[in-house]
Amino acid sequence: MLVITSEQMKRVEKLAIDSFLISEDLLMERAGISVVQSLWNEFGRLDDKNFVVICGTGNNGGDGYVIARDLLNYTEAVRVIATGEPKTEISKLNYERFVKHGGIVYKYDEIGLEKATETISSSDIVIDAIFGTGIKSEIQDENLVRLIELINIYSNCTVSVDIPSGVNTDNGKIMGVAVQAYMTVTFGFPKPGHLLFPGRDLTGKLKVAQIGIPSQIFSASNDFRRFLITGENLKKPVRPKWAHKKSFGEVLIIGGSKQYLGAPILSALGALKSGAGVVKILAPAEICDLAISHDPSLICYKVEEFNLERIQSVISSCSQKSVIVVGPGLSQENIPEKISILRFLIKDAPNPMIIDADGLNILSHSLEVLKERLLSKHIILTPHPGEFSRLIHCHIDQVKQSYTLAEEFSNYYEVITVLKDATTIITDGKHTYFNISGNTSLSKAGSGDILSGIIASLISQGLEPFEAAKTGVYLLGVAGEMIPNEGANSSFDVIRNIPEALNKI
C-alpha cells in the first residue's frame, strides 16, 4: 500500500481538481461522508449515539462540518464546537450548509472551558477535526492546547479526521500536544505520521477511505515510492519438491566473542528455521560447541581469534552464492584487524553480505570502504537507531525513524538499509517500505541477530536482496506476534514460531 507525505497529498488533490475536473467541494463531501461510513462500520447503529464534532478553521474543519451534517441524517444529537471562524472558502460553505440543515454550533471562545468539558464528556463519540495534515510547528495557541487536553481527558471515544490533531503528518512527532484517537480515518493513503511513533500510537485504529482521487495520477508519476508492507506484497522462496539441500543455499555467520556467546547461534538458527539448506558458523570454539548442542545440523569453523587469513580460508571454501552475515556478537576488540576483515569481505568477496551489530560499529570507523565494493555485490545493513547514529555521526534523536536519512544513506552508498525499530524502515534509496508487524515480544536481546539470519536465508533461497529484507522483517514481526503472552518470552522462543509465521505470509 502506498504511503504519501502531506506535500504529495496536496499535489495529488490539486491534480485531481485541475486535471480531472473533480471539484474541491466534491472531494471534501466524499471525505466527510467516508468518515461517517467508517463510524457506521466500526460502531454499528448511529441513531442511538450522540456526537460532538470539533472543527478547526481550515479544511480539516470543513471535513468536520460535512461529517456533522451527514450525521444529522442519523440523529439529532450532533453538536459542533468551532475553534474559530472558517478561513477557507470551502470550509465556510460547509459551515453554512450545516447551519442551514439545523446544525448547532458552539464557539469555543464563547462557551468557555466548563461548557466545552460538559459537551465533550456527555458525548458518546468526539470527532477531532481541528488540524489536518499540514501542521509543521508546535501549537502556540494556549486555548487550543487546553482543548486538546480536554479531549484526551474527557472524551469517551475520539475519532480523528485524517490524522490526530497535533501529530506531524510526515514524521509522527507531537507538535507540543496531540489528540489520542481511538480511530483515525485518513483519505487516499496512509501517511508516515500514522506509521511512525508516537503518531502511530495516537492514531489508534487506522481506516483508509477512498475519496475518488484518480488512480492515473499515481501510475503516471515516479514520485510515489514509499509503501506499507502487507502480506500481499511480499514474496516467499519457491521450494520445488525435487530440491536438495544445496537448492536452498548456504549461509555463513561470522561473529561471536567471550561477551556474546549466543548472538551468532541465534542468527544461525534464524537462518535454519526460515529455510536455508546449509548454515555455517565461524566463531570461537566455545560458541561452536554451544551451537552444535542446540542443533547438530549446523556446520562450525572454530577460531581462536578472528584474523584475516582464517576468514579468507573459510570464504574460499564457500560458494560465491553463499550469503555472509558478519557482526552478531563480534565485539569491538582488536578493531584494526576486524576492519581489515570487513574490508576484505566488502571489496574482495563476491558473496551477498549482511552487516549487523558490531559489524556495523566496526564499519563506522571506515565507512567509505562501502564505496570500494564490487559493483555486482549486494550489501544489506541492519542497524538499530544507536548503530545508525554511529554510522552517520548524528545524534540518535535525529536518526530514529528517519526514513529520509535512511534513504539518503542508501542512495549514497548504494546499499539496502534496514533501520530497525518498532516501525522498521527498509530502503534501497529508490523505494522505501514501512513495516508495522511485530510487538514488544521482539523487544529482546537477540531479535536483531535472528533477523539477520532470516534475511540471509531468504537470499540464499533465491529472493532478491531487497525482497528478502522486506519479507524477513515482516516475517520476524509475525513470529513475535504469535507469542501467547506478549513480552513473556526470550528471543529464542520467537525462533520456534518462524516456520508457522512463514505459512501466514
Side-chain angles (χ1 to χ4, degrees):
M1 182 184 292
L2 196 63
V3 176
I4 64 176
T5 64
S6 57
E7 287 303 315
Q8 286 175 323
M9 191 64 192
K10 284 180 184 177
R11 292 201 298 272
V12 164
E13 289 176 340
K14 190 173 188 308
L15 276 170
I17 294 166
D18 294 345
S19 301
F20 290 86
L21 306 181
I22 300 172
S23 69
E24 185 179 18
D25 189 15
L26 179 58
L27 287 175
M28 185 169 284
E29 187 74 12
R30 292 193 62 162
I33 290 173
S34 72
V35 173
V36 177
Q37 289 175 333
S38 296
L39 291 170
W40 187 86
N41 289 334
E42 181 69 20
F43 301 108
R45 290 177 54 182
L46 302 180
D47 58 358
D48 60 351
K49 298 176 177 63
N50 63 75
F51 299 86
V52 60
V53 185
I54 305 181
C55 295
T57 58
N59 280 0
N60 197 244
D63 294 334
Y65 289 118
V66 176
I67 294 164
R69 171 165 49 85
D70 195 55
L71 283 171
L72 288 174
N73 294 322
Y74 299 90
T75 176
E76 293 181 356
V78 181
R79 292 157 292 172
V80 165
I81 296 177
T83 66
E85 295 294 329
K87 292 182 178 178
T88 66
E89 291 303 315
I90 192 67
S91 61
K92 287 178 186 175
L93 176 62
N94 281 295
Y95 164 80
E96 291 167 1
R97 286 171 175 166
F98 175 64
V99 173
K100 291 278 188 185
H101 279 71
I104 299 171
V105 179
Y106 300 138
K107 295 184 178 179
Y108 175 54
D109 59 356
E110 293 179 0
I111 63 173
L113 289 176
E114 186 175 343
K115 178 65 173 178
T117 302
E118 179 190 334
T119 304
I120 290 168
S121 62
S122 63
S123 299
D124 295 310
I125 298 172
V126 172
I127 309 296
D128 157 37
I130 304 172
F131 297 114
T133 57
I135 188 168
K136 301 294 182 187
S137 57
E138 289 207 359
I139 301 168
Q140 300 297 324
D141 189 326
E142 288 299 321
N143 288 325
L144 293 180
V145 170
R146 282 195 291 272
L147 179 58
I148 290 173
E149 290 172 345
L150 285 180
I151 294 169
N152 288 341
I153 294 169
Y154 293 105
S155 172
N156 294 301
C157 179
T158 304
V159 175
S160 288
V161 179
D162 220 358
I163 196 161
S165 292
V167 171
N168 185 302
T169 306
D170 295 333
N171 58 31
K173 293 180 180 178
I174 297 173
M175 299 291 95
V177 65
V179 168
Q180 172 67 68
Y182 165 80
M183 181 173 81
T184 298
V185 183
T186 196
F187 310 125
F189 299 95
K191 318 303 185 294
H194 297 130
L195 309 177
L196 301 172
F197 286 94
R200 178 175 156 191
D201 192 40
L202 295 172
T203 294
K205 293 183 180 181
L206 181 62
K207 307 287 186 181
V208 181
Q210 299 308 318
I211 58 173
I213 295 172
S215 60
Q216 295 95 314
I217 291 174
F218 305 98
S219 59
S221 173
N222 294 322
D223 190 38
F224 305 102
R225 55 192 180 86
R226 300 185 180 107
F227 303 87
L228 172 65
I229 294 179
T230 62
E232 291 76 33
N233 60 16
L234 296 176
K235 294 181 180 178
K236 289 201 305 185
V238 177
R239 296 187 70 85
K241 296 186 184 299
W242 48 260
H244 51 81
K245 64 183 179 184
K246 292 189 177 179
S247 304
F248 304 119
E250 179 177 283
V251 174
L252 172 65
I253 314 292
I254 301 173
S257 60
K258 291 179 181 178
Q259 301 100 310
Y260 306 109
L261 300 177
I265 300 173
L266 291 170
S267 188
L269 293 175
L272 271 180
K273 289 291 187 179
S274 50
V278 178
V279 179
K280 301 177 177 180
I281 296 177
L282 176 57
E286 185 178 0
I287 293 172
C288 286
D289 294 338
L290 280 171
I292 296 298
S293 71
H294 277 289
D295 195 316
S297 70
L298 293 170
I299 299 169
C300 287
Y301 300 98
K302 298 180 179 181
V303 293
E304 297 260 341
E305 288 186 1
F306 287 100
N307 60 75
L308 181 57
E309 184 178 351
R310 178 64 168 148
I311 297 290
Q312 289 172 327
S313 172
V314 172
I315 295 297
S316 67
S317 69
C318 296
S319 161
Q320 291 190 1
K321 293 184 178 180
S322 298
V323 185
I324 298 172
V325 178
V326 60
L330 191 60
S331 88
Q332 296 183 63
E333 295 177 352
N334 195 7
I335 283 180
E337 182 66 19
K338 287 174 180 172
I339 288 175
S340 71
I341 290 169
L342 269 181
R343 186 177 296 275
F344 162 73
L345 292 172
I346 291 168
K347 285 181 61 179
D348 300 319
N351 310 70
M353 183 177 177
I354 297 162
I355 306 176
D356 184 36
D358 277 329
L360 295 166
N361 294 325
I362 294 162
L363 180 65
S364 67
H365 295 278
S366 185
L367 192 56
E368 287 303 313
V369 72
L370 289 174
K371 287 286 195 179
E372 302 173 24
R373 77 182 192 280
L374 297 168
L375 291 177
S376 60
K377 185 181 181 71
H378 294 287
I379 297 179
I380 300 175
L381 308 184
T382 57
H384 58 55
E387 291 160 347
F388 194 49
S389 71
R390 289 187 283 276
L391 277 176
I392 65 173
H393 305 292
C394 284
H395 193 273
I396 191 169
D397 290 342
Q398 292 176 270
V399 307
K400 192 173 176 63
Q401 298 188 119
S402 178
Y403 55 93
T404 54
L405 282 177
E407 288 167 349
E408 290 168 9
F409 181 87
S410 285
N411 259 326
Y412 183 76
Y413 289 105
E414 298 180 278
V415 297
I416 296 165
T417 303
V418 178
L419 183 54
K420 299 179 293 193
D421 211 328
T423 298
T424 293
I425 295 157
I426 305 104
T427 182
D428 62 357
K430 301 176 185 65
H431 296 91
T432 299
Y433 286 79
F434 298 89
N435 180 73
I436 60 172
S437 71
N439 56 26
T440 60
S441 292
L442 299 177
S443 303
K444 305 284 181 176
S447 291
D449 303 313
I450 298 168
L451 177 62
S452 64
I454 292 173
I455 296 173
S457 169
L458 296 174
I459 296 172
S460 78
Q461 295 172 73
L463 289 192
E464 290 296 318
F466 195 40
E467 292 294 334
K470 288 160 47 185
T471 302
V473 170
Y474 184 85
L475 172 61
L476 181 66
V478 173
E481 291 171 355
M482 292 168 60
I483 296 293
N485 296 306
E486 182 177 334
N489 64 288
S490 72
S491 56
F492 189 72
D493 296 320
V494 176
I495 293 174
R496 297 190 181 100
N497 293 338
I498 291 173
E500 188 177 345
L502 264 169
N503 288 331
K504 291 178 178 287
I505 296 177

PDB file of all heavy atoms in Angstrom, residues 261-294:
ATOM      1  N   LEU A 261      28.139 -14.933  23.522  1.00  0.00           N
ATOM      2  CA  LEU A 261      28.199 -16.312  23.036  1.00  0.00           C
ATOM      3  C   LEU A 261      26.989 -16.657  22.168  1.00  0.00           C
ATOM      4  O   LEU A 261      27.094 -17.426  21.213  1.00  0.00           O
ATOM      5  CB  LEU A 261      28.256 -17.280  24.229  1.00  0.00           C
ATOM      6  CG  LEU A 261      29.435 -17.140  25.203  1.00  0.00           C
ATOM      7  CD1 LEU A 261      29.272 -18.128  26.356  1.00  0.00           C
ATOM      8  CD2 LEU A 261      30.755 -17.395  24.486  1.00  0.00           C
ATOM      9  N   GLY A 262      25.829 -16.105  22.500  1.00  0.00           N
ATOM     10  CA  GLY A 262      24.604 -16.570  21.866  1.00  0.00           C
ATOM     11  C   GLY A 262      24.259 -15.919  20.547  1.00  0.00           C
ATOM     12  O   GLY A 262      23.508 -16.499  19.742  1.00  0.00           O
ATOM     13  N   ALA A 263      24.779 -14.711  20.276  1.00  0.00           N
ATOM     14  CA  ALA A 263      24.330 -13.934  19.115  1.00  0.00           C
ATOM     15  C   ALA A 263      24.467 -14.685  17.793  1.00  0.00           C
ATOM     16  O   ALA A 263      23.491 -14.783  17.030  1.00  0.00           O
ATOM     17  CB  ALA A 263      25.068 -12.592  19.063  1.00  0.00           C
ATOM     18  N   PRO A 264      25.636 -15.246  17.465  1.00  0.00           N
ATOM     19  CA  PRO A 264      25.735 -15.940  16.177  1.00  0.00           C
ATOM     20  C   PRO A 264      24.890 -17.212  16.122  1.00  0.00           C
ATOM     21  O   PRO A 264      24.445 -17.619  15.043  1.00  0.00           O
ATOM     22  CB  PRO A 264      27.228 -16.266  16.054  1.00  0.00           C
ATOM     23  CG  PRO A 264      27.757 -16.230  17.437  1.00  0.00           C
ATOM     24  CD  PRO A 264      26.938 -15.217  18.170  1.00  0.00           C
ATOM     25  N   ILE A 265      24.639 -17.815  17.282  1.00  0.00           N
ATOM     26  CA  ILE A 265      23.794 -19.015  17.318  1.00  0.00           C
ATOM     27  C   ILE A 265      22.351 -18.648  16.974  1.00  0.00           C
ATOM     28  O   ILE A 265      21.684 -19.332  16.187  1.00  0.00           O
ATOM     29  CB  ILE A 265      23.867 -19.704  18.694  1.00  0.00           C
ATOM     30  CG1 ILE A 265      25.311 -20.114  19.009  1.00  0.00           C
ATOM     31  CG2 ILE A 265      22.943 -20.917  18.751  1.00  0.00           C
ATOM     32  CD1 ILE A 265      25.524 -20.644  20.413  1.00  0.00           C
ATOM     33  N   LEU A 266      21.865 -17.545  17.543  1.00  0.00           N
ATOM     34  CA  LEU A 266      20.513 -17.082  17.228  1.00  0.00           C
ATOM     35  C   LEU A 266      20.382 -16.764  15.744  1.00  0.00           C
ATOM     36  O   LEU A 266      19.387 -17.094  15.105  1.00  0.00           O
ATOM     37  CB  LEU A 266      20.161 -15.848  18.066  1.00  0.00           C
ATOM     38  CG  LEU A 266      19.976 -16.081  19.570  1.00  0.00           C
ATOM     39  CD1 LEU A 266      19.872 -14.749  20.294  1.00  0.00           C
ATOM     40  CD2 LEU A 266      18.747 -16.934  19.840  1.00  0.00           C
ATOM     41  N   SER A 267      21.393 -16.132  15.204  1.00  0.00           N
ATOM     42  CA  SER A 267      21.381 -15.808  13.774  1.00  0.00           C
ATOM     43  C   SER A 267      21.352 -17.081  12.936  1.00  0.00           C
ATOM     44  O   SER A 267      20.587 -17.187  11.967  1.00  0.00           O
ATOM     45  CB  SER A 267      22.611 -14.963  13.426  1.00  0.00           C
ATOM     46  OG  SER A 267      22.543 -14.478  12.115  1.00  0.00           O
ATOM     47  N   ALA A 268      22.158 -18.053  13.312  1.00  0.00           N
ATOM     48  CA  ALA A 268      22.213 -19.321  12.570  1.00  0.00           C
ATOM     49  C   ALA A 268      20.893 -20.075  12.659  1.00  0.00           C
ATOM     50  O   ALA A 268      20.406 -20.619  11.656  1.00  0.00           O
ATOM     51  CB  ALA A 268      23.357 -20.174  13.110  1.00  0.00           C
ATOM     52  N   LEU A 269      20.294 -20.105  13.834  1.00  0.00           N
ATOM     53  CA  LEU A 269      19.016 -20.811  13.988  1.00  0.00           C
ATOM     54  C   LEU A 269      17.901 -20.084  13.232  1.00  0.00           C
ATOM     55  O   LEU A 269      17.000 -20.723  12.673  1.00  0.00           O
ATOM     56  CB  LEU A 269      18.661 -20.935  15.467  1.00  0.00           C
ATOM     57  CG  LEU A 269      19.595 -21.840  16.300  1.00  0.00           C
ATOM     58  CD1 LEU A 269      19.224 -21.789  17.780  1.00  0.00           C
ATOM     59  CD2 LEU A 269      19.557 -23.283  15.789  1.00  0.00           C
ATOM     60  N   GLY A 270      17.964 -18.751  13.202  1.00  0.00           N
ATOM     61  CA  GLY A 270      17.003 -17.996  12.401  1.00  0.00           C
ATOM     62  C   GLY A 270      17.102 -18.359  10.932  1.00  0.00           C
ATOM     63  O   GLY A 270      16.090 -18.496  10.239  1.00  0.00           O
ATOM     64  N   ALA A 271      18.329 -18.542  10.458  1.00  0.00           N
ATOM     65  CA  ALA A 271      18.537 -18.927   9.058  1.00  0.00           C
ATOM     66  C   ALA A 271      18.010 -20.334   8.794  1.00  0.00           C
ATOM     67  O   ALA A 271      17.360 -20.595   7.775  1.00  0.00           O
ATOM     68  CB  ALA A 271      20.021 -18.836   8.712  1.00  0.00           C
ATOM     69  N   LEU A 272      18.283 -21.251   9.705  1.00  0.00           N
ATOM     70  CA  LEU A 272      17.813 -22.632   9.525  1.00  0.00           C
ATOM     71  C   LEU A 272      16.287 -22.714   9.510  1.00  0.00           C
ATOM     72  O   LEU A 272      15.686 -23.329   8.634  1.00  0.00           O
ATOM     73  CB  LEU A 272      18.348 -23.515  10.656  1.00  0.00           C
ATOM     74  CG  LEU A 272      19.698 -24.203  10.475  1.00  0.00           C
ATOM     75  CD1 LEU A 272      20.028 -25.020  11.714  1.00  0.00           C
ATOM     76  CD2 LEU A 272      19.718 -25.084   9.234  1.00  0.00           C
ATOM     77  N   LYS A 273      15.666 -22.062  10.501  1.00  0.00           N
ATOM     78  CA  LYS A 273      14.221 -22.175  10.662  1.00  0.00           C
ATOM     79  C   LYS A 273      13.454 -21.469   9.535  1.00  0.00           C
ATOM     80  O   LYS A 273      12.275 -21.749   9.317  1.00  0.00           O
ATOM     81  CB  LYS A 273      13.797 -21.592  12.013  1.00  0.00           C
ATOM     82  CG  LYS A 273      14.213 -22.433  13.207  1.00  0.00           C
ATOM     83  CD  LYS A 273      13.434 -23.744  13.251  1.00  0.00           C
ATOM     84  CE  LYS A 273      13.716 -24.511  14.539  1.00  0.00           C
ATOM     85  NZ  LYS A 273      12.946 -25.770  14.592  1.00  0.00           N
ATOM     86  N   SER A 274      14.117 -20.549   8.820  1.00  0.00           N
ATOM     87  CA  SER A 274      13.443 -19.877   7.707  1.00  0.00           C
ATOM     88  C   SER A 274      13.793 -20.505   6.362  1.00  0.00           C
ATOM     89  O   SER A 274      13.457 -19.953   5.319  1.00  0.00           O
ATOM     90  CB  SER A 274      13.763 -18.380   7.714  1.00  0.00           C
ATOM     91  OG  SER A 274      15.152 -18.135   7.806  1.00  0.00           O
ATOM     92  N   GLY A 275      14.496 -21.664   6.389  1.00  0.00           N
ATOM     93  CA  GLY A 275      14.575 -22.456   5.179  1.00  0.00           C
ATOM     94  C   GLY A 275      15.907 -22.622   4.497  1.00  0.00           C
ATOM     95  O   GLY A 275      15.983 -23.275   3.455  1.00  0.00           O
ATOM     96  N   ALA A 276      16.994 -22.055   5.017  1.00  0.00           N
ATOM     97  CA  ALA A 276      18.298 -22.229   4.371  1.00  0.00           C
ATOM     98  C   ALA A 276      18.694 -23.704   4.354  1.00  0.00           C
ATOM     99  O   ALA A 276      18.418 -24.450   5.299  1.00  0.00           O
ATOM    100  CB  ALA A 276      19.362 -21.407   5.101  1.00  0.00           C
ATOM    101  N   GLY A 277      19.360 -24.127   3.272  1.00  0.00           N
ATOM    102  CA  GLY A 277      19.751 -25.532   3.146  1.00  0.00           C
ATOM    103  C   GLY A 277      20.921 -25.905   4.007  1.00  0.00           C
ATOM    104  O   GLY A 277      20.953 -26.985   4.615  1.00  0.00           O
ATOM    105  N   VAL A 278      21.926 -25.033   4.073  1.00  0.00           N
ATOM    106  CA  VAL A 278      23.137 -25.276   4.860  1.00  0.00           C
ATOM    107  C   VAL A 278      23.462 -23.994   5.623  1.00  0.00           C
ATOM    108  O   VAL A 278      23.481 -22.912   5.035  1.00  0.00           O
ATOM    109  CB  VAL A 278      24.342 -25.649   3.963  1.00  0.00           C
ATOM    110  CG1 VAL A 278      25.595 -25.857   4.799  1.00  0.00           C
ATOM    111  CG2 VAL A 278      24.029 -26.890   3.131  1.00  0.00           C
ATOM    112  N   VAL A 279      23.710 -24.123   6.923  1.00  0.00           N
ATOM    113  CA  VAL A 279      24.085 -22.959   7.739  1.00  0.00           C
ATOM    114  C   VAL A 279      25.394 -23.263   8.450  1.00  0.00           C
ATOM    115  O   VAL A 279      25.531 -24.293   9.115  1.00  0.00           O
ATOM    116  CB  VAL A 279      22.995 -22.595   8.751  1.00  0.00           C
ATOM    117  CG1 VAL A 279      23.432 -21.389   9.585  1.00  0.00           C
ATOM    118  CG2 VAL A 279      21.672 -22.291   8.041  1.00  0.00           C
ATOM    119  N   LYS A 280      26.343 -22.347   8.290  1.00  0.00           N
ATOM    120  CA  LYS A 280      27.669 -22.493   8.888  1.00  0.00           C
ATOM    121  C   LYS A 280      27.923 -21.340   9.852  1.00  0.00           C
ATOM    122  O   LYS A 280      27.405 -20.241   9.669  1.00  0.00           O
ATOM    123  CB  LYS A 280      28.744 -22.493   7.802  1.00  0.00           C
ATOM    124  CG  LYS A 280      28.574 -23.606   6.764  1.00  0.00           C
ATOM    125  CD  LYS A 280      29.638 -23.506   5.676  1.00  0.00           C
ATOM    126  CE  LYS A 280      29.522 -24.641   4.668  1.00  0.00           C
ATOM    127  NZ  LYS A 280      30.553 -24.553   3.605  1.00  0.00           N
ATOM    128  N   ILE A 281      28.740 -21.618  10.860  1.00  0.00           N
ATOM    129  CA  ILE A 281      29.145 -20.585  11.819  1.00  0.00           C
ATOM    130  C   ILE A 281      30.662 -20.535  11.860  1.00  0.00           C
ATOM    131  O   ILE A 281      31.322 -21.585  11.967  1.00  0.00           O
ATOM    132  CB  ILE A 281      28.600 -20.874  13.230  1.00  0.00           C
ATOM    133  CG1 ILE A 281      27.073 -20.830  13.255  1.00  0.00           C
ATOM    134  CG2 ILE A 281      29.153 -19.880  14.240  1.00  0.00           C
ATOM    135  CD1 ILE A 281      26.480 -21.172  14.618  1.00  0.00           C
ATOM    136  N   LEU A 282      31.223 -19.358  11.779  1.00  0.00           N
ATOM    137  CA  LEU A 282      32.650 -19.130  12.008  1.00  0.00           C
ATOM    138  C   LEU A 282      32.748 -18.342  13.307  1.00  0.00           C
ATOM    139  O   LEU A 282      32.388 -17.166  13.362  1.00  0.00           O
ATOM    140  CB  LEU A 282      33.254 -18.353  10.839  1.00  0.00           C
ATOM    141  CG  LEU A 282      34.730 -17.935  10.946  1.00  0.00           C
ATOM    142  CD1 LEU A 282      35.636 -19.140  11.159  1.00  0.00           C
ATOM    143  CD2 LEU A 282      35.154 -17.171   9.715  1.00  0.00           C
ATOM    144  N   ALA A 283      33.205 -19.008  14.374  1.00  0.00           N
ATOM    145  CA  ALA A 283      33.136 -18.406  15.697  1.00  0.00           C
ATOM    146  C   ALA A 283      34.141 -19.069  16.630  1.00  0.00           C
ATOM    147  O   ALA A 283      34.703 -20.128  16.311  1.00  0.00           O
ATOM    148  CB  ALA A 283      31.725 -18.568  16.267  1.00  0.00           C
ATOM    149  N   PRO A 284      34.390 -18.480  17.808  1.00  0.00           N
ATOM    150  CA  PRO A 284      35.252 -19.128  18.797  1.00  0.00           C
ATOM    151  C   PRO A 284      34.736 -20.525  19.172  1.00  0.00           C
ATOM    152  O   PRO A 284      33.528 -20.800  19.080  1.00  0.00           O
ATOM    153  CB  PRO A 284      35.185 -18.168  19.997  1.00  0.00           C
ATOM    154  CG  PRO A 284      34.911 -16.829  19.387  1.00  0.00           C
ATOM    155  CD  PRO A 284      34.008 -17.113  18.223  1.00  0.00           C
ATOM    156  N   ALA A 285      35.649 -21.384  19.602  1.00  0.00           N
ATOM    157  CA  ALA A 285      35.341 -22.803  19.837  1.00  0.00           C
ATOM    158  C   ALA A 285      34.189 -23.006  20.799  1.00  0.00           C
ATOM    159  O   ALA A 285      33.319 -23.867  20.588  1.00  0.00           O
ATOM    160  CB  ALA A 285      36.592 -23.515  20.360  1.00  0.00           C
ATOM    161  N   GLU A 286      34.136 -22.204  21.861  1.00  0.00           N
ATOM    162  CA  GLU A 286      33.074 -22.365  22.863  1.00  0.00           C
ATOM    163  C   GLU A 286      31.700 -22.149  22.242  1.00  0.00           C
ATOM    164  O   GLU A 286      30.737 -22.862  22.554  1.00  0.00           O
ATOM    165  CB  GLU A 286      33.299 -21.379  24.012  1.00  0.00           C
ATOM    166  CG  GLU A 286      32.329 -21.556  25.163  1.00  0.00           C
ATOM    167  CD  GLU A 286      32.609 -20.588  26.314  1.00  0.00           C
ATOM    168  OE1 GLU A 286      33.561 -19.789  26.202  1.00  0.00           O
ATOM    169  OE2 GLU A 286      31.859 -20.643  27.308  1.00  0.00           O
ATOM    170  N   ILE A 287      31.610 -21.182  21.339  1.00  0.00           N
ATOM    171  CA  ILE A 287      30.339 -20.889  20.669  1.00  0.00           C
ATOM    172  C   ILE A 287      29.968 -22.033  19.732  1.00  0.00           C
ATOM    173  O   ILE A 287      28.801 -22.440  19.661  1.00  0.00           O
ATOM    174  CB  ILE A 287      30.426 -19.551  19.909  1.00  0.00           C
ATOM    175  CG1 ILE A 287      30.555 -18.408  20.918  1.00  0.00           C
ATOM    176  CG2 ILE A 287      29.216 -19.341  18.999  1.00  0.00           C
ATOM    177  CD1 ILE A 287      30.831 -17.062  20.306  1.00  0.00           C
ATOM    178  N   CYS A 288      30.941 -22.557  19.021  1.00  0.00           N
ATOM    179  CA  CYS A 288      30.673 -23.674  18.121  1.00  0.00           C
ATOM    180  C   CYS A 288      30.116 -24.874  18.886  1.00  0.00           C
ATOM    181  O   CYS A 288      29.170 -25.534  18.432  1.00  0.00           O
ATOM    182  CB  CYS A 288      31.949 -24.072  17.383  1.00  0.00           C
ATOM    183  SG  CYS A 288      32.410 -22.898  16.082  1.00  0.00           S
ATOM    184  N   ASP A 289      30.690 -25.153  20.055  1.00  0.00           N
ATOM    185  CA  ASP A 289      30.204 -26.276  20.858  1.00  0.00           C
ATOM    186  C   ASP A 289      28.766 -26.042  21.320  1.00  0.00           C
ATOM    187  O   ASP A 289      27.929 -26.962  21.291  1.00  0.00           O
ATOM    188  CB  ASP A 289      31.112 -26.489  22.073  1.00  0.00           C
ATOM    189  CG  ASP A 289      32.515 -26.944  21.674  1.00  0.00           C
ATOM    190  OD1 ASP A 289      32.656 -27.479  20.548  1.00  0.00           O
ATOM    191  OD2 ASP A 289      33.449 -26.764  22.473  1.00  0.00           O
ATOM    192  N   LEU A 290      28.468 -24.817  21.730  1.00  0.00           N
ATOM    193  CA  LEU A 290      27.102 -24.478  22.138  1.00  0.00           C
ATOM    194  C   LEU A 290      26.130 -24.612  20.966  1.00  0.00           C
ATOM    195  O   LEU A 290      25.016 -25.112  21.114  1.00  0.00           O
ATOM    196  CB  LEU A 290      27.047 -23.050  22.685  1.00  0.00           C
ATOM    197  CG  LEU A 290      27.513 -22.826  24.122  1.00  0.00           C
ATOM    198  CD1 LEU A 290      27.593 -21.334  24.422  1.00  0.00           C
ATOM    199  CD2 LEU A 290      26.547 -23.494  25.098  1.00  0.00           C
ATOM    200  N   ALA A 291      26.570 -24.147  19.810  1.00  0.00           N
ATOM    201  CA  ALA A 291      25.710 -24.181  18.620  1.00  0.00           C
ATOM    202  C   ALA A 291      25.342 -25.612  18.262  1.00  0.00           C
ATOM    203  O   ALA A 291      24.171 -25.919  17.985  1.00  0.00           O
ATOM    204  CB  ALA A 291      26.416 -23.498  17.450  1.00  0.00           C
ATOM    205  N   ILE A 292      26.321 -26.502  18.266  1.00  0.00           N
ATOM    206  CA  ILE A 292      26.071 -27.907  17.919  1.00  0.00           C
ATOM    207  C   ILE A 292      25.114 -28.546  18.919  1.00  0.00           C
ATOM    208  O   ILE A 292      24.273 -29.384  18.568  1.00  0.00           O
ATOM    209  CB  ILE A 292      27.397 -28.691  17.865  1.00  0.00           C
ATOM    210  CG1 ILE A 292      28.288 -28.161  16.740  1.00  0.00           C
ATOM    211  CG2 ILE A 292      27.125 -30.178  17.673  1.00  0.00           C
ATOM    212  CD1 ILE A 292      27.700 -28.305  15.363  1.00  0.00           C
ATOM    213  N   SER A 293      25.217 -28.120  20.186  1.00  0.00           N
ATOM    214  CA  SER A 293      24.315 -28.684  21.198  1.00  0.00           C
ATOM    215  C   SER A 293      22.871 -28.260  20.957  1.00  0.00           C
ATOM    216  O   SER A 293      21.938 -28.980  21.324  1.00  0.00           O
ATOM    217  CB  SER A 293      24.763 -28.256  22.608  1.00  0.00           C
ATOM    218  OG  SER A 293      24.517 -26.885  22.826  1.00  0.00           O
ATOM    219  N   HIS A 294      22.671 -27.102  20.341  1.00  0.00           N
ATOM    220  CA  HIS A 294      21.316 -26.641  20.014  1.00  0.00           C
ATOM    221  C   HIS A 294      20.797 -27.309  18.754  1.00  0.00           C
ATOM    222  O   HIS A 294      19.614 -27.644  18.663  1.00  0.00           O
ATOM    223  CB  HIS A 294      21.295 -25.123  19.843  1.00  0.00           C
ATOM    224  CG  HIS A 294      21.180 -24.365  21.122  1.00  0.00           C
ATOM    225  ND1 HIS A 294      20.037 -24.336  21.878  1.00  0.00           N
ATOM    226  CD2 HIS A 294      22.094 -23.619  21.790  1.00  0.00           C
ATOM    227  CE1 HIS A 294      20.226 -23.596  22.957  1.00  0.00           C
ATOM    228  NE2 HIS A 294      21.467 -23.154  22.935  1.00  0.00           N
TER     229      HIS A 294
END
